[in-house]
Structures are given as C-alpha cells and as structure tokens.
Amino acid sequence: MEHDSATTLEPARHLEIERKFDVAESTVVPSFDGLTSITRVSRAPTAVLDAVYFDTPEHDLAAQRITLRRRTGGSDPGWHLKLPADVHTRTEIRMPLSAGDGVPADLRDIVLAIVRDHPLLPVAHINTTRTVDTLYGPDGNALAEFADDRVSASAGDADIHWREWELELSENTLADGDATEQTMARVADRLRQAGAVPAGHASKLARALGASAGRPEHAAGHGDSIHQAVAEHLQKLLEWDRAVRADAADSVHQMRVTIRTIRSLLQASPAAFGLGEDAPILDELQQLGAVLGTARDAEVLGERYARALDDLPEKLVRGPVRHRLVDGAHDRYQSGLQASLAAMRCDDYFRLLDQLEAVIAAEPLAPSRGTEKLAEATIADGYRSLRRRVRAAAAADVEHHDIALHRIRKSAKRLRYTAAATGQPKVAEAAKAIQTLLGDHQDSVVSRGHLIEQADVAHDAGEDTLTYGVLYHREVEIATRCEQDLTAALKMLAKAVRTAR
C-alpha cells in the first residue's frame, strides 16, 4: 500500500542529456584517446545501484516515458523523477532518501494529472553494477560521464539481464551549445565503432516492463483530424499541467489556451465524439478555464501596466501607482495560482481528464465523414456563426458593444482551432488575426475597468490619480485601433474561407 510522505524538503531539478546504447557482454570499452575535446579520463570505483520503480497498476507513467524510482548506492542516492523533454533530454527531479520510503507527496503532485487518484506501487526492481569514466576537456572541467552498466531487472514474473552504455553530458557544459553537441557526437561515434548500437528502449524501466510498459499516449481512436487534434492537445494539457505546478513562465496562459482549444474542437463537432451539444464536459472545461483565468488576467494586467509605466515620462508617474497596479497584480496572480492548483488536485479535475480520454476513443453519434467533408462543414458552420456575431455587433448599442466584440473573438478562436485541426492554415491564420485584435481589445476593456477601480481607491487614500487617467486614455486608443483594423481582418478571413471551399 502506498503512503505519501508529507515533507517540507524542496525537490532539486537537473537537466539530463544522455544517449543510451545496447552492447554485448563481451564488448570492450573503447579508449577515448585521440579526441581533441577530451584531455583526461578518470574512472570511479565500481558502484552497485539498487532501484525500486513506482507506477500505477496500469503503468500510466511509463506510457508517458516518465520514471519514478527510489535508488540507493552510487553518488546520488535518493528519489528520482525523470520527465521527458525531447529525444535525448530529460528533467530529473531529485529528493533525498530522508523524504521517506513511500513516494514523496511533492513528487506525486508533479505527475498528479497522470496518476490522478490511482495508487503508486512498486512495479520493478532494477540492480545495476556501474563503472563510470568522467571525460574532461582542455579547461579541466568535466564534459561528460560514460557509464558501463550491467543490469539485472525483475518486473512481475520476468527476470532479465543485459549490458548497456550511457553517455551523459555534464550540466556545466550545456551553455556551450554546438561545441557540446559536437563532443557528444564524436564520443558516440567512438562507442559505435566499438560495437555499441543505439538503445532500443528509452529507459531501463521500459526494457524491464517490455510490452506492459503502458498504453499509448491518448492515441485518437478514429483517425480523423479532429480526433487527432484533441488527442494531441490533451497531451499538451498534461505537459502544461506540470509546468503550472512548477510555476513556469507563461504556463497558466498556455494551459488555459490548451483547455479552450479542446473545448472549441469538441464544440465544433460534438457528434464526432459521441457528445450532445449541451454535454456537461463542455461546461466543466469552461469552468476550469475560468479558474485559471483569475491568475492569467492578473498576469496580463501586471505585464501591461509595467510596460506602460516604463514608457511614460517620469513626471507623469505620480504616487504609488506602480505598487497598486503592478505589485497588486502579482499578488492577485499568486492568489489565482493557488486557487488553480487547488482545482488541479481535486477529484473533479481527475474525472474531467478521464472523460477527455474517453471522448477521444468514443464512437461518433453520426456516421463519420471524410476529412475533407468534415473540414468544409466545420469551417462553414464556424464562419456562419462568426458572421452572425459581426452583424449583431454592428447593431449593438454602446452599452453592449464591447460584449458583442468579445463574442466575435470567441467565434474567431473556435474557427481558428477547427481550421488548424482540419488542415486549413490560411483560414486559421486569418481567424487568429481577428482573435488577436479582439483579444487586445478585450484586455483594454478589462484594464479600463480595473484602472477606474484603482483610481477610486487611490483618490480615497488622498493620492494623486493623474497617472490612472493617462493610462486609461492609452487603453482607449488601443481599443480604437483594434476596432479600426477589424474591418480589414474580416475581409481577409472572408477571402480565406472562399479559397478553402
């Protein structure tokens, strides 16, 4: 049974760039003499590494090429969580063994969108006898480590043994760019000349688990472009979820965009996913986006005000306006981030992710149309909706004008995502231009409302409110330019839609 360890220890993050090679038992480790970038090699005493790997019963982490282990022995014993970045690069997050015998809560939280409320249990035991050569460059700094591993693994009823080589760059060389890549390539060539071949597995765990390494990463069940797009964006959602938990720059915005993209694609063709037009999952996606919106809106306003204040002459920046607008936005962002994280740790969020996986695999309510006909139908429907909202905006009174423009933006956004998913890049580009224009307009609307509120607070505190008025006037100018440019953008979209037919 799993027992999460409550701890205040902070996980340490490391970037790991390595290449793995399969090698026969009798293969001789090559010499690295003659490589100009390698001036010295030192060999550490052979170490025995003993690791227990944890995953859900369905191997959900393995399906995402993620490994979680508790390892003793060697130079870095502890808990290691490895997250893929690209083919040869992973982020390794470490916690000490003092974090406990059960999976540390901090590590579980990082992959919570994948494991959800499923238990994390031991799935494999891997013992490695390792000999490490450290390769040094002309400046005396370590360039890379070459590990010669003899591995014994047990997973379920299977016991297997193999030998492999690992070549891992030192973190202090990563800033060298091309020179580092060239060194890696030359050393890898030397290993291949000795008889090594690129490994047929991404990790020792993947080899140990073999065919039971987990289900495919949310593959689309019906092969059409809309299903494939939703599957790909669900994968992005899981990745941005991890970024939000790490409070990475722009991550809240990107996760919110991904949620809105999925919702737009489902709305554009609900029957293709076995959904009715009023399916609850659409409301649930909207609610999650709204929770993230609190942090995102604060982030946008804070950055907007910081730029605007930097652009103003010093004599126009009066009183503690930067504290109220920029620092206040940062405080609201932190509050919104905590609310977002709370929502991302609850059962409702886990069930939403379950539902998204289910709709990708669901049988359509209506017979499936060909990709070309599906594209034509969804783009035509989306464009008609946008045109109706353009006409409504033209007829709207002053009080409802901004709301009407915001509705056009929503239609443009949905059309953009649908066009991108169905292979109509020109329509997607034209719709994105409208979405961007009206997004700037809507940010101006929100900003003006906030400026009025903060000006009232500043006035009541006896502060100079001139700067708030100056910023308000700038926002009016921005909104006016957006509306002036909208006509041309709509014409470009009409031309792109006609061409797509």
Side-chain angles (χ1 to χ4, degrees):
M1 183 176 179
E2 174 195 3
H3 298 283
D4 285 350
S5 299
T7 176
T8 58
L9 296 171
E10 288 292 328
R13 290 176 177 263
H14 303 268
L15 190 63
E16 178 184 86
I17 300 180
E18 69 175 17
R19 297 185 186 181
K20 300 172 77 68
F21 300 87
D22 289 330
V23 62
E25 281 291 336
S26 59
T27 304
V28 177
V29 174
S31 167
F32 298 107
D33 293 341
L35 296 176
T36 57
S37 55
I38 307 298
T39 59
R40 182 168 68 90
V41 178
S42 68
R43 175 165 292 181
T46 298
V48 177
L49 315 177
D50 193 73
V52 176
Y53 286 77
F54 292 77
D55 205 336
T56 67
E58 297 297 323
H59 297 167
D60 294 298
L61 293 180
Q64 297 283 334
R65 298 189 297 120
I66 294 172
T67 60
L68 172 61
R69 72 187 178 205
R70 185 182 188 277
R71 190 170 77 181
T72 57
S75 61
D76 63 343
W79 286 94
H80 304 153
L81 174 64
K82 295 191 178 187
L83 308 169
D86 58 32
V87 176
H88 298 300
T89 307
R90 294 188 292 183
T91 298
E92 182 175 277
I93 304 171
R94 303 174 186 169
M95 293 192 73
L97 293 174
S98 57
D101 293 332
V103 176
D106 287 340
L107 294 186
R108 181 187 175 95
D109 188 69
I110 293 169
V111 293
L112 196 55
I114 298 170
V115 303
R116 300 165 204 174
D117 49 5
H118 302 146
L120 284 171
L121 306 171
V123 295
H125 183 191
I126 298 179
N127 185 278
T128 303
T129 300
R130 168 170 290 182
T131 303
V132 174
D133 289 337
T134 302
L135 315 181
Y136 293 88
D139 59 1
N141 291 324
L143 293 177
E145 287 188 348
F146 165 72
D148 181 10
D149 291 346
R150 286 174 167 78
V151 187
S152 298
S154 60
D157 296 329
D159 291 300
I160 57 175
H161 307 271
W162 72 92
R163 185 184 179 197
E164 69 179 38
W165 290 346
E166 288 185 3
L167 179 62
E168 180 178 348
L169 287 177
S170 298
E171 281 194 88
N172 61 0
T173 68
L174 301 184
D176 294 340
D178 292 343
T180 298
E181 283 297 319
Q182 291 174 7
T183 298
M184 191 79 152
R186 289 168 183 158
V187 176
D189 285 343
R190 185 65 59 90
L191 299 181
R192 283 190 287 267
Q193 291 167 10
V197 296
H201 53 279
S203 66
K204 290 180 174 64
L205 178 64
R207 180 159 183 172
L209 294 178
S212 65
R215 50 188 166 76
E217 296 178 1
H218 313 298
H222 301 285
D224 64 70
S225 56
I226 294 285
H227 272 86
Q228 187 61 41
V230 174
E232 291 171 358
H233 280 91
L234 175 55
Q235 186 61 33
K236 289 181 181 179
L237 176 59
L238 298 179
E239 293 167 4
W240 284 117
D241 172 287
R242 294 199 292 272
V244 169
R245 293 175 194 276
D247 197 14
D250 201 40
S251 57
V252 172
H253 169 58
Q254 294 300 333
M255 183 173 175
R256 190 177 180 219
V257 167
T258 303
I259 291 166
R260 289 177 161 188
T261 303
I262 293 172
R263 185 171 184 270
S264 293
L265 291 171
L266 296 181
Q267 279 183 311
S269 190
F273 296 93
L275 300 174
E277 292 186 359
D278 57 349
I281 192 173
L282 299 176
D283 290 336
E284 292 164 11
L285 285 166
Q286 185 177 41
Q287 290 166 13
L288 179 58
V291 172
L292 292 165
T294 300
R296 175 55 184 162
D297 290 347
E299 185 177 43
V300 168
L301 287 179
E303 293 172 352
R304 194 179 187 93
Y305 294 142
R307 289 193 302 269
L309 290 170
D310 288 343
D311 289 342
L312 288 180
E314 187 176 345
K315 64 182 180 180
L316 294 181
V317 181
R318 309 279 185 86
V321 62
R322 189 177 295 272
H323 170 71
R324 289 199 182 277
L325 296 181
V326 180
D327 295 346
H330 179 266
D331 292 342
R332 292 195 306 279
Y333 169 79
Q334 290 297 326
S335 177
L337 176 62
Q338 294 308 311
S340 299
L341 292 173
M344 292 160 58
R345 290 166 178 150
C346 72
D347 288 343
D348 288 346
Y349 179 56
F350 303 154
R351 300 293 77 79
L352 174 60
L353 295 174
D354 290 344
Q355 289 179 69
L356 287 172
E357 291 176 354
V359 298
I360 291 170
E363 292 291 338
L365 293 179
S368 179
R369 292 175 287 187
T371 298
E372 185 174 344
K373 290 184 177 180
L374 178 63
E376 291 176 359
T378 52
I379 288 175
D381 289 345
Y383 185 61
R384 278 194 294 269
S385 173
L386 185 145
R387 290 297 304 161
R388 284 195 298 270
R389 290 185 168 181
V390 169
R391 291 192 293 271
D397 56 29
V398 174
E399 182 181 356
H400 298 95
H401 181 65
D402 291 337
I403 296 174
L405 289 178
H406 189 46
R407 287 173 178 163
I408 296 174
R409 177 178 180 265
K410 290 181 178 180
S411 289
K413 176 184 61 179
R414 188 180 307 170
L415 179 58
R416 169 195 171 187
Y417 297 147
T418 303
T422 54
Q424 295 293 339
K426 291 184 178 180
V427 175
E429 184 178 350
K432 179 183 177 181
I434 294 172
Q435 179 190 351
T436 301
L437 270 178
L438 295 182
D440 290 342
H441 184 279
Q442 179 63 16
D443 287 343
S444 172
V445 171
V446 174
S447 177
R448 278 177 276 159
H450 186 67
L451 286 169
I452 290 173
E453 292 175 0
Q454 292 303 305
D456 288 342
V457 174
H459 179 269
D460 292 343
E463 299 166 8
D464 191 328
T465 60
L466 172 68
T467 308
Y468 298 95
V470 174
L471 294 178
Y472 187 95
H473 180 69
R474 286 172 60 112
E475 294 290 4
V476 171
E477 291 179 336
I478 290 171
T480 300
R481 285 197 301 270
C482 290
E483 291 192 48
Q484 290 171 345
D485 293 343
L486 180 59
T487 300
L490 288 169
K491 289 180 180 178
M492 291 297 294
L493 176 61
K495 180 179 178 181
V497 171
R498 285 195 303 271
T499 304
R501 290 172 179 169

